[in-house]
Amino acid sequence: MAATEVVQSRRIVTEIPGPKSRAIQERRSSAVAQGVGSVLPVYVERAGGGIVEDVDGNALIDFGSGIAVTNVGNADPRVVERAAEQLARFTHTCFMVNPYEAYVDVCEALNRVTPGGHEKRSILLNSGAEAVENAVKIARSATGRQAVVVFDHAYHGRTNLTMGLTAKNMPYKQGFGPFAGEIHRMPMAYPYRWPTGPENCGPEAAAMVVEQITKQIGARNVAAVVIEPIQGEGGFIEPAPGFLPALAEFCRTNGIVFVADEVQTGFARTGDMFACDHEGVVPDLITTAKGIAGGLPLAAVTGRADLMDAVHSGGLGGTYGGNPAACAAALAALDAIESDDLVGRAGEIGELMLGRLRELAAAHDVIGDVRGRGAMVAIELVTGEDKDPAPEALAKVLAHCHSQGLILLSAGTYGNVIRMLPPLVIGDDLLHEGLDILAEAFDRL
């Protein structure tokens, strides 16, 4: 049975993980480096829609999407067909040696769908971290400046440079230094935890950032401001209204490259094609990956033509960047997003999930905040009036949900955020069933 024929219903036939998964896990322990973790060690046999089937025959509801990768599902037939056709023709030539049209097609598509009507260029890469690193290279080359500004709670990747850009130490940075220099961290407009309240968060945070850049770094020394329009690993923190537009305007005024890291938020995830669209922010450079190619590894930097073309020939690229099969998959995935109106579907998913989660929060004091846009939603767990993080409660909730066949992820600087990223092709019945399991987990606390 093909993955596209996966029955869209939860099914539990063994304990989770089951005996076959546990046997593979034992093999893994002597073959795979322990530094590679897994949220839920059930080994996948096939997947499709909103269901992941494991080797023991269990069918789990997917609220993770491989961390926002399978926006169009795990095996959209258009993605599978176009990638398979390309694989039958050739698997690789290296675009820098012998180029191929699909790479150009993807760049043209990205130039069309990303924010802004200005002339753009794109490059294709392998991962989100690689995209962010190349965006910094481009910004430094184009401006002749070195300093890079990032934010509290940020996550930008696991390469040396992007570890330096990332805020959270454990598990991403611990023991891996020294890191790249000329990186400066600023306060994030985190409405739930802003000292004077969410209503003041946007303007106060923007003013604070502008002041610190001006006084501590010097605006004319800053090559780029790099920010996630909604922070991912940091806990699905949606910046307070006005914060992103104020930063973008400050960058424009001071010749700073405004880089939007849309690796997790891009391609319909938030109910807009890109999260920047929500407040009409047009970045100078935008980095994308994850949802770009229906599960195949691909990433990109897209931006103003004058910036992208400032780098000397040969200064950008990589052996596997823009692999032809991944390019074919990306074109099919974008077609699926547009023809199936997955932007609209993400909005519907968000409305359903946020409504249910707010009802759940009203019944459980441990849920301090419900937030998110589209199919990118989260709850933050706390104790007491001081909003102390409650990671122990989170661990109990996740353990129950996993045992009942619901794939959920954690996040947050304090390890107290449950994040939900269902595929945009999931059915409402599975959404409700998954949220019922989540509610049951809170009832059992």
Side-chain angles (χ1 to χ4, degrees):
M1 185 167 67
T4 52
E5 299 171 348
V6 170
V7 175
Q8 296 299 292
S9 62
R10 182 174 64 106
R11 181 178 65 255
I12 306 299
V13 297
T14 72
E15 63 180 327
I16 297 177
K20 292 182 180 179
S21 281
R22 293 198 301 270
I24 299 172
Q25 184 73 2
E26 287 188 18
R27 291 168 46 204
R28 166 183 169 151
S29 65
S30 61
V32 180
Q34 67 175 358
V36 181
S38 293
V39 172
L40 179 55
V42 294
Y43 285 78
V44 179
E45 180 74 18
R46 60 190 172 206
I51 291 291
V52 172
E53 291 189 1
D54 71 10
V55 292
D56 290 287
N58 299 299
L60 292 73
I61 299 174
D62 186 7
F63 275 17
S65 296
I67 317 182
V69 168
T70 56
N71 291 3
V72 300
N74 305 79
D76 181 280
R78 290 157 290 193
V79 172
V80 172
E81 180 179 359
R82 292 188 69 167
E85 288 176 351
Q86 177 57 54
L87 286 168
R89 291 197 296 271
F90 61 92
T91 62
H92 176 75
T93 63
C94 183
F95 189 76
M96 297 183 300
V97 177
N98 297 117
Y100 36 88
E101 188 175 6
Y103 188 114
V104 178
D105 291 338
V106 172
C107 290
E108 288 176 338
L110 289 170
N111 296 345
R112 174 176 62 84
V113 301
T114 50
H118 51 278
E119 186 178 1
K120 302 172 192 169
R121 303 284 188 271
S122 291
I123 60 169
L124 303 183
L125 305 151
N126 300 289
S127 70
E130 193 178 352
V132 172
E133 188 140 344
N134 274 272
V136 171
K137 287 169 56 178
I138 292 164
R140 284 173 166 167
S141 178
T143 63
R145 305 172 181 181
Q146 294 185 343
V148 179
V149 169
V150 290
F151 294 84
D152 288 338
H153 313 289
Y155 178 85
H156 296 291
R158 297 175 186 258
T159 62
N160 185 267
L161 174 61
T162 57
M163 279 191 295
L165 303 179
T166 291
K168 189 175 180 179
N169 178 54
M170 190 67 184
Y172 306 117
K173 301 165 71 171
Q174 177 63 36
F176 298 138
F179 304 115
E182 280 296 337
I183 296 169
H184 304 268
R185 195 166 308 282
M186 297 291 150
M188 180 61 181
Y190 190 165
Y192 179 62
R193 294 188 175 274
W194 196 254
T196 61
E199 66 279 1
N200 301 314
C201 182
E204 289 183 359
M208 190 177 297
V209 170
V210 168
E211 181 181 32
Q212 290 190 19
I213 291 176
T214 302
K215 292 183 176 179
Q216 297 180 22
I217 311 168
R220 64 184 178 181
N221 296 319
V222 179
V225 169
V226 182
I227 190 167
E228 302 156 272
I230 299 176
Q231 291 184 321
E233 299 288 328
F236 283 20
I237 300 167
E238 182 181 356
F243 183 69
L244 289 179
L247 290 184
E249 178 59 30
F250 174 75
C251 288
R252 276 191 296 272
T253 302
N254 291 280
I256 300 168
V257 178
F258 184 80
V259 181
D261 179 348
E262 293 243 20
V263 167
Q264 191 163 160
T265 54
F267 299 101
R269 173 55 57 181
T270 65
D272 289 291
M273 182 61 82
F274 296 95
C276 279
D277 294 334
H278 184 69
E279 290 188 280
V281 172
V282 178
D284 297 308
L285 302 177
I286 183 169
T287 63
T288 53
K290 290 191 183 292
I292 193 173
L296 275 71
L298 190 68
V301 182
T302 301
R304 283 172 30 203
D306 60 314
L307 297 175
M308 298 292 292
D309 286 344
V311 180
H312 54 274
S313 180
L316 303 174
T319 300
Y320 291 106
N323 172 270
C327 286
L331 294 169
L334 185 58
D335 176 63
I337 290 168
E338 294 183 321
S339 61
D340 297 351
D341 187 22
L342 294 187
V343 169
R345 177 56 183 158
E348 294 171 355
I349 290 171
E351 185 176 353
L352 185 158
M353 297 190 77
L354 288 169
R356 287 286 308 271
L357 293 171
R358 288 174 181 136
E359 292 175 359
L360 193 60
H364 298 278
D365 292 340
V366 71
I367 301 176
D369 193 31
V370 175
R371 56 181 179 254
R373 292 205 305 265
M376 184 176 183
V377 300
I379 52 178
E380 181 167 353
L381 307 190
V382 297
T383 59
E385 294 182 359
D386 292 334
K387 303 178 182 177
D388 294 328
E392 299 85 2
L394 179 143
K396 292 177 181 178
V397 169
L398 289 189
H400 176 79
C401 290
H402 291 168
S403 73
Q404 298 303 305
L406 174 63
I407 301 170
L408 281 177
L409 308 175
S410 62
T413 300
Y414 313 110
N416 67 324
V417 175
I418 298 174
R419 56 175 165 167
M420 286 156 264
L421 293 157
L424 305 185
V425 295
I426 195 172
D428 285 358
D429 56 340
L430 290 178
L431 289 172
H432 280 297
E433 186 175 2
L435 293 167
D436 288 343
I437 294 169
L438 182 62
E440 183 181 86
F442 280 99
D443 289 340
R444 294 166 63 95
L445 281 178

